[in-house]
Amino acid sequence: MNTTRNTQFTPNLDARHRRGFIWRILFMAALMTALVVLVALMFSIANDSFGYVVVINKIDPERLALNVINERLLTMPNTQSSADDTALAESITSDPNGIGFFGSAAYQQNRDALKPVAVDGITPDRETAVSQEYPLTRPLYLYTTGDILAQNQAANVFLNYLITHANEATEAAGYLPASEADLAQAQQNWLQANPTLPIPPGTWPAINPDGIDGRLTISGSSTLYPLTEQMLAQLAEAGFRAEVSNENAGSTAGLAAFCRGEADIAAASRPIQSDEIELCRENGRFPQEYPIAADALTIVANPALAFLDNVSQAELAQIFAEAETWQEINPAWPAAPIHRYIPGADSGTLDFFAQQVIQQELAALPTDDLVRILAANISVGRGRALEREQRFYQDKLVFDNPTAWNEACSQPKGARPSGCTAPPRTQAEIYDLVLQEVVQPDVVETFPLYDTLLKGAAIQHQMAAKYPNGSLQFRSWLTKDFITDPQSSTPEAAGVRTAILGSLWVIAITILFSFPVGVGAAVYLEEYAADNKLNRILQTNINNLAGVPSIIYGMLGLAIFVRALEMITSGALFGLVDSTASANGRTILSAGFTLGLLILPLIIINAQEAIRAVPTSLRQASLALGATQWQTTWHHVLPAALPGILTGAILAVSRALGETAPLVIIGASTFIVVDPSGPFSKFTTLPIQIYQWTARPQAEFRNIAAAAIIVLLVLLLALNATAVYLRNKYSTRM
Amino acid sequence: MTNNTNGQTAIQAHNMNVYYGSFRAVENINLNVAPRQITALIGPSGCGKSTVLRSFNRMNDLIPSARVEGEVLYHGANIYAPDVDPVEIRRRIGMVFQKPNPFPKSIYDNVAWGAKINGYKGDMDELVESSLRQAALWDEVKDKLDQSGFSLSGGQQQRLCIARTLAVKPDIILMDEPTSALDPVATLKIEDLIQILKQDYTIIIVTHNMQQAARASDFTAFFNMNEERAGYLVEFNKTEDLFTNPKNELTERYITGRFG
């Protein structure tokens, strides 16, 4: 008997377990799908919000800073400048307080009459230059392109010969040899331009120049001219037959000729600048850099200055850019004035000194210098507008004239410019202004986070070739400025402050309208309404309204709130029309009411569910004590239902916060830079802003749209967290 | 048969019929409840004893389809008359339910709330203490009045519900199977409590437990249902007499356990 029973039941049980197991796997798969979707969503947002960008500045900020420093160096008291190194050397020789600097070649010519000064304890010579110990060593460059080397055999062989033999010749010509790293770079660049040479890797092929002919044009730096001449002479001896033109034109002219396509090789005593790279690019040339020798910027002093054997870089900066007497720098030194002899403003040597020794970035420049940069680079009209927005100095005007200023500021409050009362701009604010108005950084290419992380090296290579004057930076589009700045038509400057404020205003009106009305309706339907036909129709309607597409609510809002009730929603009835906005009925109030209507059915249905879930025994207990219906509802039913009501309200409000369609219909502004000032203001909201940005053609708008989505999500989470906190605080069940 | 022996009346049902929609749940009830006595309503399941009990303080009003015909006289006035406010009736005729249903509030507030909403002007602490003492709960809860009513055991919760009812100072307390959800020890405590309460209150108690009716009540009403499933009063008498000397054969069969 027992056995029969067991054989009847056991297989059945196994099948039931199996079925349960399959369902469990299916449910888990459903959960996993949801998780994967969530992760994918997060990633796709982060993918566009962060990543590499290529930025090209209209004006190099380093150049701006350098100009300011050069200016400061040249205008120091007791300072003379000359483009002629020999003249400088003579002046220093004849002045017992003279000090100056120039290239090592010039020092070699005048070494008997001058005293070299060690920097940081290191004297400039061959060894310290090759090892790059001497801090003021700078490379000297040849520039050409891979294409030229591939097509012009003469240029290719010339460069090969130079890289092979330059270091042997440099000292004789008064140069220092190129550092090992520089030379390795030059070799690598040349090898890249000659990829087909059959040589084992890591070796350097010295090509025999015998019999090579063709044409070769060199143009550029006077510093490098003696070196190139000497090399060409050696080549000619070795049988190099090419027709060569070597022009001593100066670094800037040489590079310009090269970039215009007039020279095959440019010689320069300074690195190529971004505007020159841009010029080259326009002519289809992508310059390659060949550091083939080095120059040590030498500090020289009159031999009478016996105490001056060695200075630190900090002291050097003081000597040329701050102090008037020697004593100011070091109390042990004499009180005699410093007499400075430095190269002229157009000199690469002065730039190098300023860059290397003074080392001041644009962001660190004092207010006066920044304002001077602004004044030199923007129109007076623009400057005046900026000044009226906010002054640069408390006590003086830079762009405006006092009469016009006083006139503008004597206007009544509201009409007069904000600059009349606002505190002057800070150094950081002026720096931002210089960036915006003068440097004008422009994002020319952006990469998603995925590519940035996985193909970073490849991107770096590609972009270095495509935009030699651009800088590749990792950029987070979500910054503090993005949140605090208003909308702008340039994506780099655009922010979401207006949209955040608009969203908060609209959602506040929505909550204030729909929560009390919705909960009230739910209480009536659940606690008071008789079960009759009318109330059943009402209930059915409410249930159906929850499923009506939101755009239909938008049309309802347009017809009722924007048009029919314009007197109220525009504020005209209360005399509160915002004169700058002229929003008609398309105000925050209309939007709040429209979204309120949209979520009203949701709130009612959820509140009804919550109220229905309150046990009848609780109501009976209250009523049996002689409580009225209202006392029962207020003291027992609503508190017990509150968690459920709030949960429903959170979901509904989250939906309202993310709504776009109805707001588009009722006329939310898509471009607005003025913060909303009240319920009668024009407005935009975050979803509208995101929608509008994604519709723009420029790629960067997609990035800031993604960043705005993050802001929206965080805002949503913050609102929900607040609601959950309130729910837990006020509905503590005993 | 419809009158108690001493002739005094706390509440009286007179030709009372209760309908749920078109269904007649109880039929033609005539019942005189004696003041300061315990009256037990017994009978098989579905015979309408709870319906009769709930008719005494108009709790049936909460069921949308319920309707009462006939009269329920309280102090000589029909509580179903149009000018009578059920809220006032319920304050004077309190009710204790089958399952303990304290409010989700502190023990103190559970007792004080009814008095507060009914506009009690006196010393609330004193009222709470005296109500809890009357409900024989004070000694067990006096140190934790601010704790939740749900923190008590089932029997304590039911006594808390009784204390809550006492705090609004009713005349009559209706009890709808107040011990059916409790263990025997808690049941005995409630029964003892009812015996004490009868000195000040009229108590009507519905019970399934015949021993309880025999033990704890002064009068017993036995209900049964007819062929249309409508409840009717079979016999009403002093408990002693009804259990020892039932006049009706149905009553005898029921109390001896032969049906029901």
Side-chain angles (χ1 to χ4, degrees):
Chain A
M1 186 74 191
N2 258 338
T3 356
T4 332
R5 273 193 188 154
N6 282 343
T7 50
Q8 275 173 347
F9 280 107
T10 314
N12 208 355
L13 189 64
D14 282 349
R16 269 150 49 198
H17 275 311
R18 264 201 305 279
R19 207 169 304 146
F21 181 73
I22 292 170
W23 279 113
R24 193 183 123 180
I25 297 291
L26 286 177
F27 292 146
M28 210 168 84
L31 177 67
M32 286 300 151
T33 313
L35 272 180
V36 167
V37 168
L38 192 68
V39 169
L41 180 79
M42 289 298 162
F43 180 78
S44 79
I45 295 169
N47 200 25
D48 278 339
S49 300
F50 309 97
Y52 275 148
V53 294
V54 180
V55 177
I56 293 184
N57 296 320
K58 194 173 162 211
I59 294 182
D60 186 3
E62 271 177 40
R63 184 70 253 169
L64 283 176
L66 223 48
N67 287 346
V68 168
I69 297 165
N70 286 353
E71 172 90 7
R72 198 192 302 162
L73 289 171
L74 290 166
T75 52
M76 287 296 290
N78 299 322
T79 301
Q80 285 176 29
S81 73
S82 164
D84 183 355
D85 289 350
T86 317
L88 285 179
E90 277 167 16
S91 304
I92 297 169
T93 313
S94 60
D95 186 337
N97 276 313
I99 186 168
F101 54 84
F102 32 64
S104 56
Y107 165 67
Q108 295 298 336
Q109 288 158 20
N110 301 286
R111 59 184 310 158
D112 301 335
L114 292 171
K115 170 184 166 166
V117 182
V119 178
D120 291 340
I122 300 162
T123 39
D125 57 29
R126 189 190 166 92
E127 277 153 46
T128 56
V130 172
S131 65
Q132 291 197 318
E133 266 178 274
Y134 183 65
L136 301 183
T137 311
R138 59 172 168 165
L140 301 171
Y141 304 96
L142 293 187
Y143 286 94
T144 184
T145 74
D147 291 345
I148 293 173
L149 293 188
Q151 287 155 17
N152 187 334
Q153 186 63 8
N156 200 19
V157 171
F158 171 74
L159 208 57
N160 178 280
Y161 190 85
L162 207 62
I163 294 167
T164 315
H165 300 285
N167 274 4
E168 300 160 17
T170 43
E171 260 184 313
Y175 301 98
L176 296 171
S179 72
E180 282 162 32
D182 282 348
L183 212 55
Q185 194 210 325
Q187 291 185 350
Q188 201 196 335
N189 281 353
W190 188 89
L191 285 172
Q192 258 178 20
N194 291 275
T196 54
L197 278 184
I199 51 149
T203 58
W204 174 247
I207 296 175
N208 183 2
D210 193 8
I212 300 288
D213 52 13
R215 273 189 59 86
L216 172 61
T217 320
I218 305 170
S219 178
S221 165
S222 54
T223 317
L224 271 165
Y225 183 72
L227 180 65
T228 46
E229 278 295 288
Q230 190 184 335
M231 284 290 131
L232 285 170
Q234 287 182 17
L235 272 166
E237 273 174 41
F240 188 68
R241 299 275 167 267
E243 192 186 320
V244 180
S245 137
N246 188 13
E247 194 188 355
N248 178 1
S251 299
T252 307
L255 281 166
F258 165 70
C259 287
R260 283 195 303 268
E262 293 160 10
D264 301 317
I265 294 176
S269 63
R270 57 166 172 81
I272 192 167
Q273 287 174 1
S274 61
D275 49 342
E276 290 163 342
I277 294 176
E278 191 57 34
L279 178 67
C280 277
R281 239 166 62 80
E282 282 165 19
N283 291 301
R285 291 199 153 180
F286 299 93
Q288 270 185 335
E289 199 169 74
Y290 291 88
I292 41 93
D295 180 29
L297 189 107
T298 311
I299 313 294
V300 289
N302 189 289
L305 298 170
F307 56 92
L308 212 60
D309 286 326
N310 176 35
V311 292
S312 67
Q313 287 196 60
E315 284 170 336
L316 211 50
Q318 281 180 298
I319 290 173
F320 285 98
E322 280 171 42
E324 287 201 31
T325 66
W326 298 105
Q327 207 170 30
E328 281 176 42
I329 303 159
N330 187 333
W333 293 351
I338 306 170
H339 290 171
R340 291 163 268 244
Y341 299 92
I342 58 175
D346 300 329
S347 160
T349 313
L350 186 67
D351 282 355
F352 178 71
F353 180 85
Q355 213 167 24
Q356 204 65 26
V357 177
I358 314 287
Q359 275 182 357
Q360 202 158 24
E361 295 202 7
L362 189 61
L365 288 179
T367 306
D368 287 348
D369 288 335
L370 290 173
V371 171
R372 222 171 292 135
I373 291 174
L374 262 185
N377 286 286
I378 63 174
S379 71
V380 180
R382 177 73 185 135
R384 205 179 292 140
L386 289 170
E387 192 155 46
R388 290 201 174 181
E389 220 170 78
Q390 206 179 346
R391 270 172 296 181
F392 295 95
Y393 297 104
Q394 183 68 48
D395 48 1
K396 64 178 179 191
L397 295 166
V398 184
F399 295 96
D400 217 346
N401 70 64
T403 323
W405 176 268
N406 288 335
E407 197 178 309
C409 283
S410 60
Q411 285 172 282
K413 196 181 174 199
R416 68 182 173 220
S418 55
C420 296
T421 46
R425 295 171 196 265
T426 63
Q427 189 267 353
E429 283 165 349
I430 299 177
Y431 170 67
D432 280 346
L433 213 55
V434 170
L435 278 189
Q436 268 173 43
E437 301 283 329
V438 184
V439 176
Q440 297 183 13
D442 183 25
V443 174
V444 290
E445 191 132 358
T446 65
F447 296 92
L449 185 61
Y450 178 81
D451 289 347
T452 304
L453 293 179
L454 298 185
K455 304 178 197 159
I459 291 174
Q460 276 169 11
H461 271 113
Q462 276 174 26
M463 292 302 114
K466 193 171 171 192
Y467 303 105
N469 59 334
S471 66
L472 188 70
Q473 320 169 337
F474 184 84
R475 175 154 185 164
S476 160
W477 292 90
L478 181 65
T479 58
K480 193 176 134 279
D481 285 347
F482 180 69
I483 290 165
T484 54
D485 282 352
Q487 162 75 299
S488 160
S489 51
T490 47
E492 289 89 345
V496 288
R497 190 185 65 201
T498 329
I500 291 177
L501 290 174
S503 272
L504 289 177
W505 265 107
V506 169
I507 218 66
I509 303 265
T510 305
I511 294 172
L512 285 179
F513 168 63
S514 64
F515 189 75
V517 174
V519 175
V523 167
Y524 179 79
L525 282 170
E526 286 303 312
E527 299 290 313
Y528 292 96
D531 185 22
N532 58 28
K533 206 164 189 176
L534 177 71
N535 286 326
R536 276 200 297 275
I537 290 173
L538 265 176
Q539 181 71 58
T540 312
N541 267 316
I542 289 167
N543 292 346
N544 286 336
L545 279 178
V548 170
S550 59
I551 198 149
I552 307 221
Y553 281 97
M555 287 154 86
L556 176 78
L558 179 69
I560 305 278
F561 299 123
V562 178
R563 297 269 162 75
L565 298 178
E566 188 187 329
M567 282 299 281
I568 296 170
T569 52
S570 68
L573 197 65
F574 318 103
L576 286 172
V577 178
D578 189 342
S579 62
T580 54
S582 75
N584 303 329
R586 306 181 316 250
T587 55
I588 285 174
L589 197 62
S590 297
F593 281 150
T594 307
L595 291 185
L597 283 188
L598 170 70
I599 64 170
L600 196 56
L602 293 178
I603 291 192
I604 294 177
I605 291 169
N606 281 306
Q608 274 187 289
E609 290 290 339
I611 289 169
R612 219 173 290 154
V614 175
T616 322
S617 66
L618 190 63
R619 293 189 182 84
Q620 287 184 345
S622 167
L623 290 169
L625 286 175
T628 62
Q629 174 95 50
W630 171 243
Q631 284 170 327
T632 303
T633 304
W634 182 252
H635 288 281
H636 295 295
V637 177
L638 278 180
L642 195 63
I645 293 175
L646 281 177
T647 305
I650 291 168
L651 289 173
V653 168
S654 301
R655 182 178 167 195
L657 194 61
E659 271 300 342
T660 320
L663 297 184
V664 170
I665 297 272
I666 67 160
S669 312
T670 49
F671 190 93
I672 184 171
V673 292
V674 191
D675 289 346
S677 59
F680 303 115
S681 296
K682 279 206 290 195
F683 70 100
T684 190
T685 64
L686 272 171
I688 296 269
Q689 190 75 86
I690 292 164
Y691 165 73
Q692 191 244 345
W693 277 338
T694 51
R696 294 283 201 98
Q698 296 100 313
E700 300 87 69
F701 278 112
R702 204 182 56 216
N703 297 109
I704 57 174
I709 289 172
I710 295 183
V711 174
L712 178 62
L713 287 178
V714 170
L715 191 66
L716 207 63
L717 284 179
L719 281 184
N720 285 1
T722 315
V724 170
Y725 171 77
L726 287 178
R727 183 178 76 189
N728 293 345
K729 186 173 174 191
Y730 289 111
S731 65
T732 325
R733 304 283 310 250
M734 290 288 296
Chain B
M1 195 168 95
T2 57
N3 288 320
N4 58 57
T5 46
N6 62 14
Q8 282 179 301
T9 303
I11 192 162
Q12 179 184 17
H14 186 62
N15 289 334
M16 183 179 77
N17 291 276
V18 182
Y19 297 84
Y20 293 122
S22 57
F23 168 66
R24 177 147 71 171
V26 292
E27 186 179 52
N28 219 20
I29 305 290
N30 287 291
L31 187 66
N32 269 4
V33 177
R36 295 197 166 78
Q37 297 290 320
I38 302 168
T39 304
L41 312 184
I42 62 169
S45 290
C47 71
K49 9 181 232 303
S50 285
T51 302
V52 169
L53 186 77
R54 295 161 71 90
S55 302
F56 286 147
N57 72 341
R58 296 191 61 169
M59 284 302 273
N60 279 336
D61 291 13
L62 303 182
I63 300 162
S65 60
R67 178 163 52 88
V68 175
E69 279 177 7
E71 289 179 324
V72 175
L73 299 172
Y74 172 64
H75 289 312
N78 181 12
I79 64 170
Y80 285 95
D83 59 337
V84 173
D85 186 347
V87 172
E88 180 60 20
I89 294 298
R90 291 186 198 125
R91 192 193 74 71
R92 288 162 183 267
I93 307 175
M95 190 160 190
V96 176
F97 298 87
Q98 190 169 354
K99 266 175 71 184
N101 57 352
F103 297 130
K105 293 174 182 290
S106 69
I107 293 170
Y108 183 96
D109 287 340
N110 257 286
V111 180
W113 188 78
K116 200 157 64 191
I117 54 136
N118 278 298
Y120 178 70
K121 295 283 194 308
D123 184 340
M124 190 59 86
D125 292 349
E126 211 174 276
L127 178 72
V128 170
E129 182 175 341
S130 69
S131 302
L132 284 169
R133 277 189 195 283
Q134 282 189 71
L137 192 59
W138 174 253
D139 290 334
E140 291 160 65
V141 301
K142 64 184 176 196
D143 297 326
K144 48 178 184 177
L145 290 174
D146 54 344
Q147 285 183 23
S148 164
F150 287 117
S151 66
L152 301 175
S153 73
Q156 287 174 325
Q157 286 187 19
Q158 194 62 297
R159 276 180 281 149
L160 178 64
C161 291
I162 293 172
R164 178 175 74 187
T165 307
L166 298 177
V168 296
K169 304 208 179 299
D171 283 350
I172 303 173
I173 301 174
L174 309 176
M175 295 187 174
D176 190 356
E177 298 184 40
T179 60
S180 67
L182 303 181
D183 65 80
V185 179
T187 302
L188 275 180
K189 276 193 177 169
I190 300 274
E191 281 178 17
D192 292 347
L193 171 60
I194 291 171
Q195 293 303 321
I196 298 165
L197 289 177
K198 115 182 179 184
Q199 295 163 10
D200 299 313
Y201 304 95
T202 304
I203 293 168
I204 308 175
I205 180 168
V206 166
T207 178
H208 256 114
N209 183 334
M210 261 177 299
Q211 283 79 23
Q212 188 174 62
R215 257 194 323 261
S217 70
D218 301 312
F219 292 89
T220 300
F222 172 57
F223 291 84
N224 194 15
M225 56 185 152
N226 61 21
E227 305 80 49
E228 283 120 33
R229 306 188 57 80
Y232 67 99
L233 180 61
V234 179
E235 186 170 349
F236 177 49
N237 209 338
K238 279 195 163 172
T239 303
E240 220 180 302
D241 296 342
L242 190 128
F243 276 92
T244 52
N245 188 16
K247 295 195 170 73
N248 191 301
E249 194 199 342
L250 275 173
T251 316
E252 189 184 350
R253 283 172 60 196
Y254 184 75
I255 61 177
T256 52
R258 270 177 282 160
F259 97 98

